[in-house]
Amino acid sequence: MRLATWNVNSIRTRVDRVTDWLSRADVDVLAMQETKCTDEQFPTMPFAALGYEVAHVGFNQWNGVAIASRVGLDDVQIGFDNQPGWEAVAEARAIAATCGGVRVWSLYIPNGRTVGSPHYAYKLDWLAALRDNAQKWLADDPAAQIALVGDWNIAPTDEDVWDVEFFKGSTHVTELERTAFTSIVEAQFTDVVRPFTPGPGVYTYWDYTQLRFPKKQGMRIDFILGSPAFAGRVNHAEIVREERKGKQPSDHAPVLVELG
């Protein structure tokens, strides 16, 4: 099975690019983030034409997460237990479904905005709730195949950003954010892509401004973290950098794993 995650940065703008890549890359399951549309606005038909079922949650033009699968889409769940909301309002940042025996979570972790802001605290609370849930899922079934995938808005190590000094004092690289990410890894969810794509200089995101992509000035912030049973099946992984090129690309590249 081939499973990928991609922050598409507006599915209505990039549906042709996304479905074209799905077809070329022979992807079975795609988790998407930042769909930026309501459920009614999601362009389901192009996916259905390729044989994919889609589960999506989106409330407005912000956030939005989805899973497209051609190997089953069962037990769809929107959000996880005690998932924090922003200013007491639920956001479309987490959706799960069982696809080909794998419990896939498409996640769009809050950005955090600025260090010390209420949104930064919200991000840390959100990650703590995700960790607590992930621990419980594995405690309930240690053999479960679970994939926590998406845009984490965290660069876990210094080599995951093009210039550490440039990001000094900013979100994505703070000790508290990195500790929150590490706590999920320590809950037995392994970064299954990094062994196949070692850094430094290996990124998944490049800002549209300042010619960041051609200058190779990016960040690694999109990850697939797998439970032990899932991680043990991964025999290939890649960051599909080529999809950041061309006409109207997302500012993120797809991240892909293949399971044996």
Side-chain angles (χ1 to χ4, degrees), residues 89-103:
V89 177
E91 292 191 307
R93 292 186 176 274
I95 191 170
T98 300
C99 309
V102 176
R103 190 65 173 166

Side-chain angles (χ1 to χ4, degrees), residues 55 67 73-79 94-98 103-106:
I67 300 171
L73 193 71
D74 302 317
D75 300 323
V76 174
Q77 178 180 341
I78 295 171
I95 191 170
T98 300
R103 190 65 173 166
V104 179
W105 279 92
S106 180

Side-chain angles (χ1 to χ4, degrees), residues 44-125:
T44 303
M45 293 307 296
F47 289 89
L50 294 175
Y52 292 88
E53 299 176 85
V54 177
H56 175 262
V57 57
F59 304 131
N60 47 41
Q61 73 273 31
W62 309 111
N63 310 316
V65 284
I67 300 171
S69 173
R70 63 182 187 185
V71 292
L73 193 71
D74 302 317
D75 300 323
V76 174
Q77 178 180 341
I78 295 171
F80 46 79
D81 290 348
N82 300 314
Q83 179 180 319
W86 171 238
E87 297 182 335
V89 177
E91 292 191 307
R93 292 186 176 274
I95 191 170
T98 300
C99 309
V102 176
R103 190 65 173 166
V104 179
W105 279 92
S106 180
L107 305 168
Y108 180 43
I109 281 73
N111 177 281
R113 299 181 184 172
T114 58
V115 177
S117 72
H119 206 265
Y120 180 77
Y122 165 53
K123 179 179 189 175
L124 296 176
D125 290 344

Side-chain angles (χ1 to χ4, degrees), residues 68-243:
S69 173
R70 63 182 187 185
V71 292
L73 193 71
D74 302 317
D75 300 323
V76 174
Q77 178 180 341
I78 295 171
F80 46 79
D81 290 348
N82 300 314
Q83 179 180 319
W86 171 238
E87 297 182 335
V89 177
E91 292 191 307
R93 292 186 176 274
I95 191 170
T98 300
C99 309
V102 176
R103 190 65 173 166
V104 179
W105 279 92
S106 180
L107 305 168
Y108 180 43
I109 281 73
N111 177 281
R113 299 181 184 172
T114 58
V115 177
S117 72
H119 206 265
Y120 180 77
Y122 165 53
K123 179 179 189 175
L124 296 176
D125 290 344
W126 205 97
L127 287 161
L130 175 62
R131 178 206 59 219
D132 291 346
N133 276 272
Q135 288 177 324
K136 183 178 184 302
W137 298 330
L138 269 188
D140 289 345
D141 183 2
Q145 297 182 61
I146 305 171
L148 309 178
V149 314
D151 178 357
W152 292 75
N153 273 317
I154 299 171
T157 73
D158 285 352
E159 71 175 20
D160 295 330
V161 296
W162 65 274
D163 184 343
V164 175
E165 286 302 310
F166 179 84
F167 291 97
K168 190 174 182 180
S170 301
T171 60
H172 293 52
V173 300
T174 66
E175 182 178 350
L176 289 177
E177 290 166 289
R178 288 178 169 180
T179 297
F181 184 92
T182 299
S183 73
I184 296 173
V185 174
E186 291 175 345
Q188 299 186 70
F189 286 85
T190 303
D191 177 355
V192 297
V193 177
R194 194 181 295 268
F196 297 88
T197 60
V202 179
Y203 308 128
T204 65
Y205 163 83
W206 302 260
D207 197 305
Y208 289 126
T209 65
Q210 305 295 315
L211 298 175
R212 296 293 187 211
F213 183 70
K215 291 179 181 178
K216 301 180 180 179
Q217 296 176 345
M219 306 176 74
R220 189 198 287 247
I221 58 175
D222 302 84
F223 297 94
I224 297 176
L225 303 187
S227 65
F230 177 89
R233 295 182 60 195
V234 175
N235 57 32
H236 173 76
E238 61 184 282
I239 297 166
V240 191
R241 189 177 184 275
E242 292 296 307
E243 290 305 312

Side-chain angles (χ1 to χ4, degrees), residues 6 8 11 14-27 30 32 42-52 54 68 70 243:
W6 195 357
V8 296
I11 188 60
R14 284 174 249 286
V15 62
D16 291 342
R17 283 197 63 134
V18 172
T19 53
D20 176 67
W21 181 71
L22 278 177
S23 181
R24 288 185 286 109
D26 194 27
V27 172
L30 176 65
M32 291 168 273
F42 190 95
T44 303
M45 293 307 296
F47 289 89
L50 294 175
Y52 292 88
V54 177
R70 63 182 187 185
E243 290 305 312

